[in-house]
């Protein structure tokens, strides 16, 4: 009965559209004429034209609405569609076993064989560069490659490179990156291009992984899986009867985590000189399909598209990575910035919870994941190795690329992106024009369409406002980052609070306009969809004027293309056939599938990357960023079906909306834990068992502090330490606010291992305890010479190093650092109290039993009046980053008192502050 009454209301709303004709009879000004004189003289082609261009009178007849409760069903359909998209994302190939492959086969990858290589490389301890275990596993890796070479049909050359060097790491916090005695293991599958007389390679394809790991993580996915895949690929490619056109250089680099030292060291190797392109392999997670997320060469992207089954590529990830939303880096930076080598960067991005934690373990690598990586790498390298087009380098240049549901990759240059996006915007506008022509090309049509645009904006703003209200309430009253353990919570926490108010406001706005426009329900839904396309088309035009967004505009333009094509089909069907509301709904849902599934794939990948990052971002309110990201994703996804809600009845809509809202409200305020004792969602902890000493200009100690520094990496890093200690009856003096020290001293007068971690120090926790076990030899820096000539003073310094070191140089006010003997060029890392400071990260990257003394010079420009006093403050942060056997009893007790969900990276460190 309610639906019948609504139809009667719509009929009444149509009646005001009548006008009085000249002969005094009423007529509907918006309705196409029903009169057609069949007897008039008309040629056949004219009748065909009429049949094609006619508009049915059914367009203006009332349409019975769909009961509002069916919205729950439609919502369930789209949630199932998202789940189905997730299944496509996670679908893995059936692994090949050795028994399935003949000995001569060179084009079929074996997961079974790759797993044997994986365990050989992996071992049972972290392979931290500079440790004895890392050296032992490097030796095992070299022997493994030698065995592959001994059985190959195509010649393979292997080498164990030891190299020392330095470079300026020009990141957001620049620093000098110095490496000593670094290891790389290299194998070259010799191609027709071969070698030069001096031993350097001619045209070569470079493929890179790293076999070292961070402390306290086995590093199965980061990055031994890819190293094993490379080894199996090398073996299979070496079985081919004839050589490839180009050499293929397989680099197993030994110090990526230091960071990015080994790749720079390899550029000094003669086998790097012929590299024209690079395929870089890394990980920021585990499982799923390896994804292309950085690219500087369209040739490789096109080859990737041609030969890789189940391709995964998103330049959206490149934008997140390069904008700093994802706080990480890969060797790809080195190939691009220092080697001038173009290529593609491929990584695992799902399961980011395990990245750099104890859960990066082979037992969690799912079946088929290694096979999927091999099915990607083997055909890709086979294709590249025979491409004549890759004989020469090209300048690295950006590109836009994305796949559609792992079926195919679309890739084009950035200049082409402007033309493509402009054409899609034009297509959207043409689909809107088609709607206007269907209804009637009159000013009232345009006017109502503009009102519909305002309605779309009002609905969107209502959804945004609801999220802006509820997110702060959740942050204040419950626990942040609950999505670490329960990623599905983003739906009730951010998506539904956007969707429910948007639908309600859409219906309220439609109720107001219905009485004025007289259009039936089906036409109003089409009008809302046209308004959405008009709005998105205008946004796309604006975005084409922002070059920095070129690599992410496809996230809007590609769904908009599907929406526009679907609209043309939908409008044509509605134009010629009488459509009941439920049939119209089925039509729109079916036509929306490609665009909606593409949007869902973006959502799943974006959240898979961004959600785990919040556990190591150091943000005080990470939920605000997640809310913003998911609001944007929700608005994009909902726009693919925006308007179909008007096909439903307004009666009892509050029941449906109330039920969904109630469920979401309950979930919003349940304090789910973001962490799990059984993993893989852990709380990341970096603890520095420290001694901090300050010395005067004569070398005498003026201050000394010992204790444990706990740096802040999520909102609860330090908050949960003290309660855990109290629960175990441990009482320690502590300090939590270092803001004032951070304004007076470089890095707040606290020890530091990674320059990027400096931003977390002001909110660190310091527990006052006894100091760490002493290092042998005792680390430190001393002056062995000081010479001034005019205003130029040179300090000659010797550093007794630890396995890992950081040195900060902070010239006194009035002095200026002109040169550093270890640095190719100078760039300040930052400034404190108006004085710039400079940072060097140093590592002994291959274990050899004893540490060498590092000699270096500082050249300063100093006014004559200052030369009798202090010229510069120098701090030496000396670290042992993986030496659990050297822990003191007290430190071990503190670690044992912590909850199981803590994931530790523990360092023993001495910070010595000097005045020279």
């Amino acid at each position: 009965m309610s639906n019948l009454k609504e139809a009667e209301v719509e009929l009444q709303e149509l009646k005001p559209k009548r006008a009085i004709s000249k002969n005094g009879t009423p007529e509907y000004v918006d309705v196409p004429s029903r009169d057609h004189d069949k007897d008039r003289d008309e040629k056949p082609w004219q009748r065909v034209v009429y049949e094609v261009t006619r508009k049915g009178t059914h367009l203006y007849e009332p349409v019975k609405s769909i009961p509002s409760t069916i919205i729950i069903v439609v919502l369930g359909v789209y949630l199932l569609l998202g789940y189905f998209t997730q299944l496509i994302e996670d679908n893995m190939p059936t692994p090949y076993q050795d028994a399935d492959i003949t000995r001569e086969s060179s084009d079929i990858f074996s997961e079974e064989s790759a797993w044997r290589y994986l365990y050989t490389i992996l071992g049972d301890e972290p392979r931290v560069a500079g440790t004895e275990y890392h050296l032992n596993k490097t030796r095992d890796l070299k022997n493994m490659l030698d065995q592959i070479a001994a059985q190959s049909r195509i010649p393979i050359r292997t080498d164990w490179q030891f190299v020392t060097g330095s470079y300026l790491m020009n990141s957001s916090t620049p620093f000098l990156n110095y490496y000593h005695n670094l290891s790389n293991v290299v194998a070259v599958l010799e191609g027709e291009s071969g070698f030069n007389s001096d031993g350097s390679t001619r045209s070569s394809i470079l493929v890179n992984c790293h076999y070292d790991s961070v402390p306290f993580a086995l590093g199965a996915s980061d990055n031994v899986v890819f190293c094993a895949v490379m080894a199996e690929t090398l073996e299979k490619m070496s079985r081919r009867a004839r050589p490839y056109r180009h050499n293929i250089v397989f680099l197993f680099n030994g110090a990526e985590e230091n960071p990015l030292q080994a790749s720079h060291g390899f550029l000094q190797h003669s086998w790097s000189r012929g590299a024209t392109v690079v395929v870089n392999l890394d990980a920021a997670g585990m499982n799923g399909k390896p994804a292309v997320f950085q690219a500087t060469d369209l040739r490789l992207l096109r080859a990737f598209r041609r030969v890789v089954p189940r391709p995964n590529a998103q330049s959206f990830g490149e934008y997140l990575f390069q904008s700093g939303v994802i706080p990480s880096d890969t060797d790809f930076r080195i190939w691009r910035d220092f080697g001038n080598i173009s290529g593609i960067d491929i990584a695992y991005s799902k399961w980011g919870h395990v990245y750099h934690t104890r859960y990066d373990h082979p037992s969690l690598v799912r079946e088929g994941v290694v096979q999927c990586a091999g099915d990607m790498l083997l055909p890709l390298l086979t294709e590249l190795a025979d491409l004549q087009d890759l004989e020469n380098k090209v300048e690295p240049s950006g590109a836009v690329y994305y796949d559609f549901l792992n079926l195919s990759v679309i890739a084009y240059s950035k200049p082409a992106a402007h033309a493509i996006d402009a054409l899609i915007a034009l297509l959207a506008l043409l689909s809107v024009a088609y709607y206007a022509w269907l209804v009637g090309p009159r000013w009232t049509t345009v006017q109502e369409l503009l009102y519909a645009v305002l309605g779309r904006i009002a609905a969107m703003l209502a959804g945004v406002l609801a999220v802006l209200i509820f997110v702060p309430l959740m942050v204040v009253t419950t626990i942040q980052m609950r999505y670490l353990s329960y990623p599905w919570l983003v739906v009730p926490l951010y998506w539904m609070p956007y969707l429910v108010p948007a639908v309600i406001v859409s219906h309220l706005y439609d109720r107001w306009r219905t009485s004025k426009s007289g259009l039936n329900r089906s036409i109003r839904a089409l009008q809302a969809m046209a308004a959405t396309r008009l709005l998105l088309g205008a946004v796309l035009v604006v975005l084409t004027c922002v070059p920095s967004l070129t690599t992410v505009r496809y996230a809007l333009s590609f769904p908009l293309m599907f929406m526009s094509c679907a609209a043309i089909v939908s409008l044509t069907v509605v134009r010629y056939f009488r459509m009941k509301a439920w049939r119209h709904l089925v039509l729109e849902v079916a036509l929306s599938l490609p665009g909606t599934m593409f949007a869902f794939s973006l959502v799943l990948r974006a959240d898979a990357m961004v959600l785990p990052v919040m556990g190591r971002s150091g943000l005080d309110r990470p939920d605000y960023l997640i809310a913003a990201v998911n609001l944007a994703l929700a608005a994009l996804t909902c726009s693919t079906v925006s308007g179909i809600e008007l096909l439903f009845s307004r009666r009892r809509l509050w029941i449906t909306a109330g039920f969904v809202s109630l469920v979401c409200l309950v979930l919003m305020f349940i304090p789910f834990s973001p962490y799990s004792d059984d993993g893989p969602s852990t709380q990341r902890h970096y603890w520095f068992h420290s001694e901090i000493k300050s010395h005067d200009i004569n070398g005498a100690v003026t201050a000394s502090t010992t204790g444990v520094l706990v740096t802040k990496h999520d909102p609860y890093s330090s908050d949960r330490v003290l309660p855990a200690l109290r629960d175990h009856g441990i009482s320690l003096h502590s300090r939590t606010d270092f803001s004032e020290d951070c304004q007076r001293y470089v890095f707040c007068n606290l020890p530091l291992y990674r320059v990027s971690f400096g931003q977390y120090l002001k909110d660190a926790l310091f527990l006052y305890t006894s100091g760490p076990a002493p290092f042998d030899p005792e680390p430190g820096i001393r002056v062995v010479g000081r010479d001034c000539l005019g205003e130029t003073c040179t300090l000659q310094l010797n550093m007794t190093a630890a396995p890992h070191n950081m040195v900060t140089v902070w010239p006194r006010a009035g002095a200026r650092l002109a040169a550093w003997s270890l640095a190719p060029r100078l760039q300040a890392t930052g400034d404190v109290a108006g004085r710039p400071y400079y940072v060097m990260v140093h590592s002994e990257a291959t274990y050899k039993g004893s540490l060498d003394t590092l000699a270096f010079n500082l050249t300063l420009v100093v006014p004559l009046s200052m030369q009798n006093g202090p010229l510069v403050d120098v701090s030496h942060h000396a670290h042992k980053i993986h030496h659990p056997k050297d822990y003191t009893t007290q430190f071990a007790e503190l670690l044992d008192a912590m909850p199981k969900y803590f994931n530790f990276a523990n360092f023993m460190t001495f910070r010595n502050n000097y005045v020279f």
Side-chain angles (χ1 to χ4, degrees), residues 434-453:
Y434 184 32
Y435 160 80
W437 177 82
L438 176 64
V439 176
R442 295 177 298 275
W443 167 243
T444 54
T445 299
V446 175
Q447 187 179 37
E448 286 303 316
L449 186 59
L450 294 177
Y451 273 117
V453 169

Side-chain angles (χ1 to χ4, degrees), residues 98 159 232 252 268 337 364 373 389 400 408 419 577 686 700 857:
D98 288 352
D159 186 38
E232 169 66 3
F252 299 80
Q268 300 182 45
D337 295 351
L364 294 182
D389 192 32
V400 178
S408 181
F577 300 97
Y686 291 77
N857 297 337

Side-chain angles (χ1 to χ4, degrees), residues 66-75 496 500 503-504 648-664:
I66 304 170
S68 60
T69 52
I70 304 300
I71 290 181
I72 298 290
V73 177
V74 175
L75 181 60
M496 289 301 124
V500 171
V503 169
I504 292 174
F648 294 89
S649 169
R650 286 190 292 270
R651 291 181 180 274
R652 299 185 179 86
L653 179 62
W654 65 271
I655 298 177
T656 303
F659 172 75
V660 174
S661 299
L662 180 61
V663 172
C664 293

Side-chain angles (χ1 to χ4, degrees), residues 86 353 481-492 494-495 607-608 611-612 626 630 681:
Q86 180 72 72
H353 312 81
M481 302 188 305
R482 290 171 288 170
Y483 39 74
L484 292 183
S485 293
Y486 307 96
W488 56 268
L489 278 175
V490 298
V491 175
Y494 309 119
W495 283 62
D607 274 339
L611 297 185
I626 294 301
N630 277 275
S681 299

Side-chain angles (χ1 to χ4, degrees), residues 275-297:
T276 60
V277 295
V278 64
V279 177
N280 193 69
L281 305 172
D282 211 331
M286 178 187 284
N287 295 323
K289 298 178 179 70
V292 176
F293 74 104
Q294 290 192 98
T296 54
D297 197 322

Side-chain angles (χ1 to χ4, degrees), residues 764-814:
L765 167 69
F766 196 88
L767 305 172
Y768 292 94
T769 68
S770 58
F775 292 4
D776 184 20
E778 183 180 352
I781 298 177
R782 61 190 180 91
V783 176
V784 296
R786 173 172 170 156
D787 300 304
C788 291
L789 180 62
E791 292 191 340
T792 300
C793 291
T794 300
L795 296 177
Q796 300 167 15
L797 305 175
N798 282 354
M799 181 175 77
T800 302
H804 288 261
N805 306 271
M806 178 185 289
V807 177
T808 63
V809 176
W810 191 25
R812 288 293 175 105

Side-chain angles (χ1 to χ4, degrees), residues 70-84:
I70 304 300
I71 290 181
I72 298 290
V73 177
V74 175
L75 181 60
V77 167
Y78 280 105
L79 290 176
L80 285 174
L81 188 63
Y83 177 70
F84 180 65

